[in-house]
Amino acid sequence: MSLHKHHVQHDAMVLDPAFDGGVGAIPKHRLPRTTQEAGAAMRFVRDELMLDGNARQNLATFVTTWMEPEAQALIQMSLEKNIIDKDEYPQSAEIERRCVNILANLWNAPAPTGGTDAVGCSTTGSSEAAMLAGMAMKWRWRARREAAGQDATRPNIVMGANVQVCWEKFARYWDVEARLIPLDGATHLTAAQAAAACDENTIGVVAVLGSTFDGSYEPVAGIAAALDRLQLDTGLDVPVHVDAASGGFIAPFLDPELPWDFRLERVQSINSSGHKYGLVYPGVGWVLWRGADSLPADLIFSVDYLGGSMPTFALNFSRPAAQVIAQYYVLVRYGFAGYRRIQQRSRDIALYIADGVGKLGLFTLFSRGEELPVLAFSLTTPDTWSVYDLSHELRSFGWIVPAYPMPEGMAGVDVLRVVVRNGFTYDLAEAFLADLAKSVERLSGKAPARVAFHH
Ligand SMILES: *Cc1c(COP(=O)(O)O)cnc(C)c1O
């Protein structure tokens, strides 16, 4: 089965010899029979890539689309390094340890693990991190049940219907019942809902710091408190995992008073995406545990390291070290003050765009950027056009702004979402708002479909 539709007759792409320097016909879906000249092959691939969207106008992704030349140089310099070869690249392993310790301190892991020996590792992203954290919860729950002579065959995991798809993947791949709680009056999971859904088979509750749907923070402290009460009332001791894919690099800098992390005793593990607000190009995530007790020993494997062995916990074996090195560079380079300034600017720009959207008088804003630098808005009253039409219209100006339905519990509500990242400027925000206004005018038939070009 092919996942893509292709026009068979265009299987071979014929390039003009005046342009391609003699590449000729290169088949697209079969290995070429002959060798190409490096420069020509590079041009061929690069021309294909030009059809991809423009990252600067992509308001859909949370993932980093700009890094400094110095970071790019370090990435270039370490492209051949394999993070699993701890013996061959001990300094890359050391850098990964330092990153884990820095994050443990940032997320207030209790001493002694918060010092220099934190429990955690890098991953490919938050999805792999979710698999590892989810497995640790399942293993701990099963060990507890088996030790008590209780049935351990029907685990469930409690989370809001707004969780990122990686948690549904975790549940399906690891055979855990996904208790997806429909939204009820909020755009995310609430404390009362979380506690009410738990039972003796619950391996944990996932609280999201920064819902992908609208950027809102779930009330992690409230969820933890509700689970504390549940334990007092019933004896059930249900751990919390915080999916801080985005918020893990926002809240410590912009909301330092908000307790969402290891300050809450019930929080056993946290994941975050280094390649989102961690400000690194795609390919790095992090998962940390409260301490050694939170991570079952039988999930840990050893790899050779300087004549000895080093514990590892990962799904993949080989993985690039470059992204971890780039993460360390960014942490060292920006420091707390730099991250704070960058994230604050993203939040300010999101709030600025939210104001502009509000002034159009047509939209209901579910978020304005006051938590993650993200805003989500729907049409207040149904019109002859939808947010999907608006998304399409914005595309004609080059803007990539996704429209999608809100999850179960808010069925029928369709939103547009704007994600502000480092590299997005006030100038771009103004250009976006102007194009948004033009798009709305076109759709409402208030302006001719073609706007004349004059200033
Ligand atoms: C992006 C995201 C994920 C998945 O993270 P990747 O790093 O893309 O694998 C999981 N949870 C949340 C809340 C996210 O925003």
Side-chain angles (χ1 to χ4, degrees):
M1 182 187 72
S2 169
L3 291 173
H4 304 282
K5 288 197 188 111
H6 295 296
H7 300 287
V8 176
Q9 64 271 33
H10 294 313
D11 188 45
M13 198 156 91
V14 181
L15 298 180
D16 176 2
F19 167 74
D20 72 7
V23 173
I26 298 180
K28 281 190 190 165
H29 306 291
R30 279 177 294 110
L31 188 67
R33 240 170 5 92
T34 56
T35 304
Q36 320 300 324
E37 193 262 315
M42 189 226 192
R43 224 162 38 236
F44 172 75
V45 177
R46 192 192 55 202
D47 286 357
E48 291 279 323
L49 293 175
M50 285 169 83
L51 301 174
D52 278 344
N54 168 9
R56 291 300 285 281
Q57 284 187 297
N58 182 350
L59 299 178
T61 186
F62 285 90
V63 174
T64 300
T65 48
W66 182 82
M67 289 189 84
E68 292 179 316
E70 289 80 1
Q72 304 203 24
L74 280 168
I75 290 172
Q76 180 92 31
M77 224 179 273
S78 38
L79 278 175
E80 81 281 15
K81 294 190 180 181
N82 183 353
I83 194 107
I84 199 72
D85 285 341
K86 315 273 184 203
D87 217 9
E88 194 174 351
Y89 305 118
Q91 216 47 37
S92 296
E94 165 67 14
I95 281 175
E96 182 186 19
R97 292 306 314 151
R98 288 185 200 168
C99 289
V100 168
N101 288 327
I102 289 170
L103 292 178
N105 285 308
L106 194 64
W107 298 340
N108 298 292
T113 54
T116 57
D117 202 15
V119 182
C121 56
S122 70
T123 60
T124 312
S126 279
S127 302
E128 185 189 1
M131 303 303 142
L132 301 182
M135 267 194 285
M137 286 193 278
K138 181 175 173 180
W139 259 242
R140 281 207 320 272
W141 166 85
R142 189 169 55 200
R144 221 172 41 228
R145 298 282 295 173
E146 284 173 352
Q150 293 161 323
D151 173 65
T153 58
R154 289 175 297 121
N156 68 65
I157 184 165
V158 169
M159 49 209 186
N162 56 302
V163 283
Q164 212 266 357
V165 66
C166 71
W167 291 103
E168 294 174 60
K169 272 191 200 170
F170 162 73
R172 196 173 307 168
Y173 294 175
W174 270 270
D175 215 5
V176 174
E177 178 202 341
R179 293 215 169 144
L180 290 166
I181 314 302
L183 306 182
D184 182 16
T187 56
H188 51 237
L189 185 67
T190 64
Q193 285 179 312
C198 291
D199 60 25
E200 64 197 16
N201 290 319
T202 303
I203 65 170
V205 171
V206 177
V208 183
L209 198 76
S211 173
T212 46
F213 283 87
D214 68 345
S216 62
Y217 292 168
E218 289 187 341
V220 187
I223 290 170
L227 293 173
D228 288 346
R229 282 194 299 278
L230 182 75
Q231 185 171 10
L232 278 179
D233 294 346
T234 65
L236 292 177
D237 183 5
V238 180
V240 170
H241 170 84
V242 184
D243 177 359
S246 294
F249 283 96
I250 294 285
F253 305 109
L254 301 188
D255 312 295
E257 305 305 320
L258 180 78
W260 63 274
D261 52 15
F262 292 119
R263 281 169 284 181
L264 303 169
E265 261 183 58
R266 200 162 282 280
V267 171
Q268 291 298 315
S269 46
I270 298 173
N271 71 270
S272 193
S273 295
H275 55 217
K276 289 185 176 175
Y277 291 102
L279 306 177
V280 180
Y281 284 146
V284 64
W286 300 96
V287 57
L288 271 69
W289 286 268
R290 176 171 205 85
D293 293 346
S294 311
L295 180 57
D298 53 350
L299 288 172
I300 296 172
F301 288 81
S302 289
V303 295
D304 289 338
Y305 180 60
L306 291 180
S309 75
M310 186 171 190
T312 67
F313 185 26
L315 295 183
N316 233 62
F317 187 69
S318 300
R319 206 156 49 74
Q323 267 71 6
V324 171
I325 291 163
Q327 179 78 78
Y328 188 57
Y329 166 77
V330 178
L331 290 168
V332 169
R333 153 85 172 117
Y334 296 154
F336 190 93
Y339 265 100
R340 197 183 134 73
R341 208 171 66 234
I342 289 165
Q343 314 302 33
Q344 184 67 53
R345 187 166 51 202
S346 292
R347 181 178 280 179
D348 290 346
I349 290 175
L351 290 164
Y352 175 79
I353 296 174
D355 273 355
V357 169
K359 282 186 189 135
L360 291 174
L362 294 170
F363 301 104
T364 300
L365 283 142
F366 291 100
S367 56
R368 313 179 56 88
E370 60 278 87
E371 292 179 329
L372 295 186
V374 169
L375 50 137
F377 50 99
S378 67
L379 261 178
T380 304
T381 44
D383 209 317
T384 51
W385 50 275
S386 68
V387 288
Y388 299 95
D389 299 320
L390 184 50
S391 172
H392 189 257
E393 202 64 36
L394 282 165
R395 190 68 199 238
S396 73
F397 292 98
W399 300 106
I400 302 167
V401 183
Y404 50 82
M406 289 296 276
E408 194 184 351
M410 282 183 74
V413 178
D414 300 293
V415 297
L416 277 177
R417 186 193 66 193
V418 170
V419 174
V420 178
R421 302 182 303 283
N422 190 24
F424 200 74
T425 60
Y426 276 106
D427 276 354
L428 283 167
E430 269 171 27
F432 170 73
L433 285 170
D435 292 341
L436 179 69
K438 277 185 228 160
S439 301
V440 166
E441 280 177 14
R442 280 189 197 171
L443 288 167
S444 323
K446 284 185 197 140
R450 281 176 188 283
V451 181
F453 277 102
H454 53 75
H455 294 277

